[in-house]
């Protein structure tokens, strides 16, 4: 059951329930020692965020200690603790639901601990909501990449996902398309309550997309857009964490069906250039032709990078990117087929339609 630290009583939360309490930011945190301070401090710079709730999800590192230290200088910051995850819930979903149950803001901003919010981010989201009349505003963050494997895989994934999640379709109230990114998902409290909050998506691995679908199906409008200049993240700090993260999500993101995996493998992988290069072992001219075909695919990838606001120079990572993408997509499919994936020390139950386990 959730408990609060001694300095964070429900009475204090109730005292903040005033008309000026615009936004409550809710940050689930499980072993986020390297990033939690930067996230909280970026939220504290937003005047519209009158309450920051960090929900400590049984961290074994210094996450909670760091938050307590920050509470000394950030009065709107509170720390909530959970002990155990109920049956049927995923840990993150349960953590943010606890945060929402304590929130006093008219708007709820769900964000991840690795997100850094630029000055004015909350104001821009609120202005957008007022201008468009939407109940949910979400941004796909600007991606910070440092190591070669991040630069190879992460932009490649986002370029592929752009084919599945069209901003225009999501933002069109006449379209059934719905999506959101949990690294910046701001929702009006009345809409959140109307769809049953995170309780309605308790066991969903892609809880952000599932939440957006419920919001839109309930008749509320969405706004989903690129978040350059609003929010930025460095998603993973090791190869193992990156592999595990996409292994958990990628199968579902491309459609959640075996047929979707095969289609994606066919479309994303440069089969023809590779086969022609392989034929060059016997016919030298074929190797030359295959290299040029591969270069053509690489340049086409550069165009996709620019459309998705990545640097064109990342085409240098095209070959390792496509190989990593094919590998992690297949690993994601196999994990879901086996009925479980692992994330942050927990096994997450999942399933693939049409398979047995």
């Amino acid at each position: 059951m959730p408990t609060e630290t001694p300095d964070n009583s429900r009475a204090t939360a109730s005292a903040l329930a005033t008309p000026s309490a615009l936004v409550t930011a809710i940050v689930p945190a499980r072993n986020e020692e390297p990033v939690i301070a930067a996230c909280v401090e970026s939220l504290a710079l937003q005047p519209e965020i009158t309450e920051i709730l960090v929900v400590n999800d049984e961290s074994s590192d210094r996450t909670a200690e760091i938050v307590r230290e920050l509470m000394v200088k950030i009065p709107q910051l509170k720390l909530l603790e959970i002990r155990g995850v109920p049956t049927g819930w995923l840990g993150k979903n349960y953590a943010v639901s606890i945060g929402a149950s304590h929130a006093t803001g008219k708007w709820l901003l769900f964000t991840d601990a690795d997100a850094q919010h630029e000055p004015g981010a909350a104001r821009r989201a609120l202005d957008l909501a007022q201008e468009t009349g939407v109940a949910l505003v979400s941004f796909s963050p600007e991606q910070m990449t440092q190591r070669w494997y991040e630069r190879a895989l992460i932009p490649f994934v986002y370029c592929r996902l752009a084919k599945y999640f069209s901003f225009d379709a999501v933002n069109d109230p006449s379209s059934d398309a719905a999506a959101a990114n949990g690294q910046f998902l701001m929702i009006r409290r009345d809409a959140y309550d109307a769809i049953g909050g995170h309780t309605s998506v308790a066991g969903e691995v892609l809880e952000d997309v599932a939440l957006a679908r419920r919001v839109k199906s309930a008749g509320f409008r969405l706004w989903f857009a690129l978040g350059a200049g609003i929010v930025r993240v460095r998603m993973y700090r090791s190869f193992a964490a990156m592999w595990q993260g996409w292994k958990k999500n990628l199968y579902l993101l491309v459609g959640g069906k075996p047929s979707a995996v095969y289609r994606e493998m066919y479309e994303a992988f440069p089969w023809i250039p590779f086969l022609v290069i392989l034929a060059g072992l016997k016919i030298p001219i074929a190797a030359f032709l295959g290299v040029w075909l591969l270069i053509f695919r690489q340049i086409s990838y550069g165009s996709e990078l620019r459309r998705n606001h990545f640097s064109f120079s990342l085409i240098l990572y095209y070959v390792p990117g496509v190989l990593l993408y094919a590998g992690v997509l297949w690993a994601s499919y196999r994990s879901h087929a086996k009925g479980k994936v692992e994330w942050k020390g927990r096994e997450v139950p999942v399933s693939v339609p049409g398979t047995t386990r």
Side-chain angles (χ1 to χ4, degrees):
M1 294 299 293
T3 60
E4 291 185 283
T5 59
D7 294 331
N8 296 281
S9 65
R10 287 180 182 271
T12 302
S14 298
L16 288 171
T18 66
S20 62
L22 294 178
V23 181
T24 295
I26 299 169
V27 187
R30 180 173 170 83
N31 295 331
E32 302 289 1
E33 179 180 337
V35 296
I36 190 65
C39 176
V40 168
E41 288 168 349
S42 72
L43 292 168
L45 293 175
Q46 316 283 327
E48 297 76 19
I49 297 178
T50 54
E51 186 177 46
I52 304 169
L53 305 180
V54 175
V55 187
N56 183 33
D57 182 9
E58 300 184 302
S59 296
S60 58
D61 63 3
R62 293 185 63 251
T63 295
E65 182 181 342
I66 291 170
V67 175
R68 292 189 185 97
E69 292 170 356
L70 291 171
M71 288 165 57
V72 176
K73 61 179 182 179
I74 303 176
Q76 68 269 39
L77 174 62
K78 302 174 181 61
L79 176 66
L80 306 177
E81 303 272 0
I82 64 172
R83 295 283 182 262
V85 179
T87 301
W89 284 84
L90 299 189
K92 177 185 177 181
N93 299 349
Y94 182 60
V96 294
S97 75
I98 293 303
S101 72
H102 285 74
T104 62
K106 179 181 177 181
W107 288 86
L108 306 178
L109 171 58
F110 298 103
T111 185
D112 288 350
D114 56 7
Q116 295 181 32
H117 301 260
E118 302 290 356
R123 180 74 267 162
R124 290 178 67 178
L126 287 169
D127 288 346
L128 245 174
Q130 184 174 10
E131 292 166 7
T132 59
V134 301
L136 186 155
V137 177
S138 184
F139 295 108
S140 181
E142 180 181 349
Q143 298 295 321
M144 298 183 290
T145 57
Q146 295 185 15
R147 299 185 181 275
W148 72 266
Y149 50 80
E150 298 172 79
R151 292 171 180 164
L153 181 58
I154 290 174
F156 196 94
V157 169
Y158 273 88
C159 286
R160 295 304 306 173
L161 294 183
K163 301 176 184 296
Y164 292 90
F165 299 99
S166 162
F167 293 133
D168 289 341
V170 169
N171 299 340
D172 182 355
S174 66
S175 169
D176 292 334
N181 189 309
Q183 292 163 326
F184 190 112
L185 192 161
M186 194 177 79
I187 183 171
R188 209 169 61 222
R189 182 65 196 239
D190 64 305
Y192 181 78
D193 291 340
I195 64 165
H198 278 83
T199 302
S200 65
V201 295
E204 295 282 352
V205 174
L206 296 180
E207 87 294 337
D208 45 9
V209 177
L211 203 68
R213 287 172 177 159
R214 291 188 63 82
V215 169
K216 198 167 191 181
S217 64
F220 298 100
R221 292 186 59 189
L222 312 178
W223 186 268
F224 190 30
L226 287 171
I230 297 174
V231 59
R232 55 197 177 101
V233 301
R234 184 183 177 201
M235 294 177 67
Y236 306 111
R237 282 166 168 72
S238 71
F239 183 89
M242 182 185 74
W243 189 267
Q244 190 180 72
W246 288 120
K247 184 178 174 181
K248 173 173 68 77
N249 292 336
L250 192 53
Y251 171 76
L252 298 175
L253 286 167
V254 302
K257 296 179 180 178
S259 58
V261 174
Y262 297 127
R263 182 186 66 245
E264 187 66 11
M265 286 285 196
Y266 174 76
E267 294 179 357
F269 198 84
W271 294 103
I272 293 177
F274 275 21
L275 289 173
V276 174
I277 290 172
L278 187 62
L281 295 175
K282 291 187 176 181
I283 309 172
I285 190 64
F288 178 78
L289 176 60
V291 168
W292 276 104
L293 289 172
L294 189 60
I295 290 173
F296 179 77
R297 284 290 294 261
Q298 190 173 23
I299 293 172
S300 297
Y301 174 55
S303 298
E304 291 183 51
L305 287 167
R306 297 184 72 170
R307 281 197 300 272
N308 290 280
H309 294 256
F310 290 104
S311 170
F312 185 83
S313 65
L314 291 171
I315 63 170
L316 297 174
Y317 299 92
Y318 172 68
V319 172
V322 75
L323 293 174
L324 285 172
Y325 181 75
V328 77
L329 177 58
W330 188 254
S332 181
Y333 165 54
R334 294 308 306 157
S335 290
H336 282 259
K338 292 176 181 177
K340 60 184 179 181
V341 295
E342 185 177 336
W343 180 240
K344 293 194 173 183
R346 288 178 176 146
E347 284 191 349
V348 179
V350 292
S351 63
V352 171
T355 64
T356 58
R357 53 178 175 146

